[in-house]
Amino acid sequence: MANKGAATGQGAPVRVVIVGGGTAGWMTAAAIARFLPGQASVDLVESEAIGIVGVGEATLPHLRAFIQRLGIDEAEFMRATSATFKLGIEFRDFGAIGDGYIHPFGAYGVDLADVGFHHYWLRAHHAGHSRPIDEYSLPIAAAHAARFRRPPEDGDFLDTSFGYAYQFDATRMAPLLRSYSEARGVRRTEGRIVSVERDGESGDVCAVTLENGERIEGDLFIDCSGFRALLIGGELDEHWEDWSHWLPCDRAAALPCEAADGPIAPYTRATAMAAGWRWRIPLRHRVGNGYVFSSAHCSEDEACSAILGAVEGTPLADPRVLRFRAGRRRRAWVRNVVAIGLAAGFLEPLESTSIHLVQMAITRLIELFPGRRVEAADRDEFNALIDLEYDRVRDFLILHYHATRRDDSDFWNHVRTMDVPEALERKMALWRESARVEAYHEGLFLEPSWVAVYLGQGIVPNAWDPRANNPDDATLNRSLDDLASEIDARVAAMPLHDRTLATIAARAA
Ligand code: FAD
């Protein structure tokens, strides 16, 4: 029976078997090796013949904490993965063709009297004074100027009003974490798993067998086998909750290109297309591109032609089509199997959330790590936390499609007029009526993120929090002007992003 192994002796390490060596598998292995030394032994199985998905290049700021907590030096990480800095995501043509905005990793302006800055901005905007809200954001101004400096720890409210993430080569993350994990005792086995064994009594998974006959036993199995979902789907047949009626994109045509001339943008770009959107992710040595599209609205051939016609640099390969479905397993942790990464669920990369969801699942697993037995309460808690995070991300992604005025294609007509989850309906009504964002104080996409997308896509309420009626007009206008000038001055004093990257690269020599 699974977990009997853990129960063979007081304090005996839990035998963890990780199935899959993509970004999810090696992030999990590295974290367990680092945070549970002595409590867990780790075997990781991966198949070179199957390979990894090999995309997943734009991240969120939380990844920095993960890298730091592993004790990996940022410059070393960036050199190994050919990474650039990322201050946010630019969305083009989403609200309407020709519109654009940046969703920054940071707040706008400064909150006064516990009232969000956007309420003051709305007041000034309706009085005809204010500039676009983007001009009151330091990370947005820095992104436009292609400048980057890490927020200084002892900085004032403006200096520390933003975070940053990385854009990195998805094929280089797993090898980096593999060396890290193997140095900390993780055993790697190469080969294809051909069968999964269950304990006759408990029904838990107890071993996997490889093509060459090698059998690996364990107490706890982490399914990081990607879209194959070998254990959670193939063996345990856990129900897949399909969300494609809200998020109809189910294909991507990926196309890496040579690095573009000119400065490397410290942000990711998402440009809406007739049947979805395309990403542009600048790395040090190349630019990642891909068209995420709905196969009900566009054929694979059409999508490949569209992305070939849209990219700026010389393609490094032919477009590669990936297929997926939006949704997640009803439960990510079933019996003694925990699914992490693409095996657990998929939400398209519009807001670069997948690797974050991997990180979040790892953090929760470590907090709730089973001892001698998997406790149902721990498993339920894990599943509830994962569900909540997936649901919130899902709703935020749907907003990008639903909040549009576009009527130029069947795809945009569909997403503009479709029913959305009730929680999102409620959030949007609240925003329209009172400019309030339904508050939650942890997790992904807090108030500034929702404000960025609402305003960026043209949903501008006519109301604001009455507490923002102070100070008087002249004082408010002066403060806004001073803030915009101060932001310009701070950005002008930042080094160019290229220069910051060159300094990091040079330190290796
Ligand atoms: P994979 O990389 O597919 O790894 C699966 C592993 O399982 C491999 O090692 C494979 O060999 C192994 N395996 C499978 N079957 C077997 C078997 N039978 N025996 C042995 N081994 C087996 N995320 C972001 O955060 N940002 C992005 O910008 C982003 N962009 C994306 C764009 C697209 C088009 C797609 C599809 C995904 C994107 N993602 C993005 C998601 C991101 O790529 C994944 O979350 C991340 O790479 C983790 O993948 P994984 O490790 O779960 O799966």
Side-chain angles (χ1 to χ4, degrees), residues 252-256 289 300-301 303-308 315-322:
L255 183 66
N289 300 279
E300 293 186 0
D301 285 349
C304 290
S305 305
I307 189 70
L308 278 164
L316 293 167
D318 290 332
R320 177 166 71 105
V321 175
L322 297 116

Side-chain angles (χ1 to χ4, degrees), residues 16 59 97 192 342 400:
V16 176
T59 66
I97 292 177
R192 182 192 290 258
L342 299 173
H400 295 64

Side-chain angles (χ1 to χ4, degrees), residues 459-478:
I459 310 184
V460 184
N462 287 320
W464 53 88
D465 190 309
R467 287 172 294 174
N469 285 328
N470 283 319
D472 59 76
D473 283 353
T475 311
L476 176 62
N477 294 346
R478 208 172 37 249

Side-chain angles (χ1 to χ4, degrees), residues 420-441:
V420 298
E422 196 265 328
L424 177 59
E425 194 87 66
R426 212 179 44 240
K427 274 197 181 74
M428 292 179 74
L430 182 70
W431 171 259
R432 283 197 173 96
E433 282 160 22
S434 63
R436 292 203 170 87
V437 176
E438 200 177 76
Y440 44 82
H441 301 290

Side-chain angles (χ1 to χ4, degrees), residues 20-21 23-24 47 50-53 55-56 58 191 193 224-225 228 342 349 354-355:
T23 300
S47 159
I50 294 174
I52 65 171
V53 69
V55 282
I193 294 168
C224 296
S225 63
R228 283 181 167 75
L342 299 173
S354 283
I355 293 171

